[in-house]
Amino acid sequence: MRKFARMSSINKNIRIMHVAQAAGGVDRYLHCLVKYLNHNKFENILVCSQDFKSVDYNNIADKFEIVEMQRNIGLHDFQTAYIVRKLIRKYGPDIVYAHSSKAGAIVRIANIGIENVCIYNPHGWPFNMIGSSKKQIVFSFMEKIMAPFADKIICISDAEKNSALNRHICSEEKLHVIYSGIDIQQYERLNHSKKRRSDIGIPEDVLVVGMVGRLVAQKAPDIFIRMAKEIKEQVQDAHFLFIGDGYMRKEIEQYAKTHGFIQSVHITGWVDNPLDYVELIDIAVLLSRWEGFGLVIPEYMLCRKPIVATDVDAIPNLIDDHINGLLVPPENPQAACEAVLGLYKDTHLADRLIEHGLKDVYKKYDARRVATEHEMLFQKLVGSFQGGKP
């Protein structure tokens, strides 16, 4: 029977310690979740890596701690787990909630023997990443042996749940699907005329194709830039906008230089306001090789952009082909080029996709819905363990 060291009354706030290592999409997800959880019922303690900024959580988090966390796996992870364990002891949370696979491993090690509810959200299974079969087997094994140390595993899409079941990570009962969402209210409050194309050297009257995401293998910026070359051959004044940064930036720039269209390629670097830049593009693209959810897709929809995305993992859960976007095979710049040019030439198709996408984002992908579903799960789990259920 598990009991709680801190909570003795159901009327007290439920204290949640969120632990996160990977920034990017996890940061945006966590920010929305903490923002919209009922602060009269839930207390949020954040333990985040050095990639997070405490100022971003002012007035929405009750406490914020920075802990050095490395992305690569090594003995240093045990030192990190020791520090996290001390923080769990310090704050005595009712729920420890790990965001991303690295944080999930650290938290489940740190939390061994401590009485609380442990929740893990991988935000995309590491074994779904394209790589060697050996790595996939190792990641699957690690997730399988760590699964018993979490009381509930949250999947951000049906595809993620099915991946876990197919690899026998845990029982179906342990898995709980909560679709991701975006901060629609925040977007509606923004001034959407702050950025102009001229600010980043793009003419006002040209086709602009863009993507939001890290310039890393997962997001396939190398496929994007090859698609750009093919588009450029047919629409000579087209421009291309990368909203993000990453280790593949030099490769992208070198390819554009080699093929003579670097003047039409624009890379923003890391920005705090990616949707301001999405406003500048005509057609939004996501050519990921794998994707746990693809949070930028509902953001594209909210910004009223027609979408071309790859038919992988969770993306088909969001994109209904030729209804609210166009799906193309991965690793296929030619297919992506044809889809983009199809939208460029057929404005009626583009408008229809935009209309359906906008309806979907309000119906399915509001961050407030994500918070509400979490609240229900938190209360159920805490109530269950207080009642003495295993």
Side-chain angles (χ1 to χ4, degrees):
M1 181 184 297
R2 296 174 66 175
K3 298 179 181 179
F4 291 98
R6 189 185 73 86
M7 275 192 63
S8 58
S9 169
I10 196 66
N11 294 322
K12 288 186 178 180
N13 286 359
I14 293 175
R15 179 177 292 174
I16 307 161
M17 176 179 284
H18 303 268
V19 183
Q21 178 270 323
V26 173
D27 191 357
R28 285 148 59 204
Y29 182 101
L30 183 57
H31 189 276
C32 287
L33 177 59
V34 173
K35 177 180 178 180
Y36 287 113
L37 283 174
N38 187 332
H39 288 206
N40 292 321
K41 295 182 179 179
F42 301 94
E43 181 182 352
N44 293 283
I45 313 296
L46 270 62
V47 176
C48 298
S49 76
Q50 64 280 4
D51 296 329
F52 289 71
K53 300 176 183 177
S54 61
V55 67
D56 293 339
Y57 291 86
N58 285 350
N59 303 318
I60 63 170
D62 296 281
K63 296 287 184 181
F64 191 98
E65 301 269 4
I66 291 286
V67 174
E68 186 79 19
M69 300 185 201
Q70 302 300 323
R71 187 177 181 86
N72 59 307
I73 299 172
L75 293 177
H76 50 77
D77 292 330
F78 290 98
Q79 176 64 24
T80 304
Y82 174 73
I83 295 170
V84 171
R85 185 176 180 87
K86 288 176 64 177
L87 290 171
I88 295 172
R89 292 288 195 191
K90 174 183 176 181
Y91 289 107
D94 306 299
I95 296 172
V96 182
Y97 188 172
H99 299 266
S100 77
S101 57
K102 170 53 76 74
I106 289 171
V107 164
R108 286 178 286 180
I109 292 170
N111 200 51
I112 291 174
I114 300 179
E115 296 173 337
N116 53 44
V117 174
C118 183
I119 299 175
Y120 168 46
N121 185 336
H123 293 274
W125 293 109
F127 49 73
N128 281 339
M129 297 186 297
I130 293 178
S132 68
S133 58
K134 182 179 179 180
K135 280 188 176 181
Q136 292 177 352
I137 292 170
V138 169
F139 284 134
S140 295
F141 177 73
M142 291 175 63
E143 290 290 351
K144 192 177 297 187
I145 63 172
M146 294 299 293
F149 298 97
D151 298 297
K152 190 66 71 174
I153 297 175
I154 293 179
C155 299
I156 55 177
S157 69
D158 293 324
E160 288 295 287
K161 178 181 177 180
N162 292 334
S163 290
L165 294 176
N166 290 339
R167 290 181 177 265
H168 308 289
I169 300 302
C170 62
S171 67
E172 185 171 4
E173 183 182 22
K174 181 163 285 192
L175 301 169
H176 186 87
V177 178
I178 299 180
Y179 267 58
S180 294
I182 60 175
D183 197 342
I184 294 175
Q185 283 189 320
Q186 176 66 21
Y187 176 81
E188 290 175 338
R189 288 195 293 265
L190 292 175
N191 173 7
H192 298 295
S193 61
K194 289 190 293 186
K195 293 290 180 185
R196 298 185 180 278
R197 288 182 172 183
S198 57
D199 294 338
I200 52 176
I202 299 178
E204 294 295 333
D205 57 349
V206 300
L207 169 66
V208 180
V209 183
M211 62 166 278
V212 175
R214 293 171 296 132
L215 304 187
V216 298
Q218 179 199 355
K219 302 298 182 180
D222 52 323
I223 302 300
F224 183 103
I225 199 67
R226 286 163 174 77
M227 172 201 70
K229 174 181 174 292
E230 297 193 24
I231 292 172
K232 193 73 175 172
E233 291 172 356
Q234 300 187 53
V235 183
Q236 294 182 1
D237 61 356
H239 281 244
F240 307 94
L241 180 59
F242 292 87
I243 306 166
D245 212 333
Y247 65 81
M248 294 182 72
R249 178 171 184 159
K250 289 184 178 179
E251 176 185 335
I252 301 309
E253 292 174 332
Q254 185 57 53
Y255 183 92
K257 287 178 183 177
T258 300
H259 292 87
F261 66 103
I262 186 63
Q263 72 283 354
S264 299
V265 174
H266 311 267
I267 302 177
T268 66
W270 299 119
V271 294
D272 295 326
N273 50 343
L275 296 192
D276 285 352
Y277 292 89
V278 173
E279 297 286 347
L280 306 181
I281 67 180
D282 297 303
I283 298 173
V285 173
L286 184 66
L287 302 180
S288 300
R289 292 181 163 96
W290 67 89
E291 198 66 66
F293 186 79
L295 197 62
V296 74
I297 288 178
E299 292 179 330
Y300 288 160
M301 292 176 178
L302 188 60
C303 293
R304 297 170 171 81
K305 305 300 175 182
I307 302 166
V308 174
T310 41
D311 188 3
V312 297
D313 296 335
I315 291 178
N317 294 157
L318 285 77
I319 296 290
D320 191 358
D321 193 28
H322 280 82
I323 301 299
N324 61 1
L326 300 182
L327 292 174
V328 297
E331 307 286 351
N332 194 327
Q334 178 62 41
C337 170
E338 292 173 0
V340 168
L341 292 179
L343 291 173
Y344 175 60
K345 296 171 183 177
D346 188 347
T347 57
H348 294 294
L349 172 61
D351 289 342
R352 189 170 75 247
L353 300 183
I354 290 169
E355 180 183 355
H356 282 282
L358 193 61
K359 290 178 181 177
D360 284 344
V361 77
Y362 276 92
K363 182 180 179 180
K364 301 177 182 178
Y365 304 118
D366 192 330
R368 291 171 295 183
R369 185 265 310 157
V370 179
T372 298
E373 291 186 24
H374 272 87
E375 288 177 2
M376 294 170 63
L377 178 64
F378 292 158
Q379 291 173 323
K380 179 180 178 180
L381 290 173
V382 169
S384 175
F385 283 118
Q386 281 186 323
K389 296 180 182 179

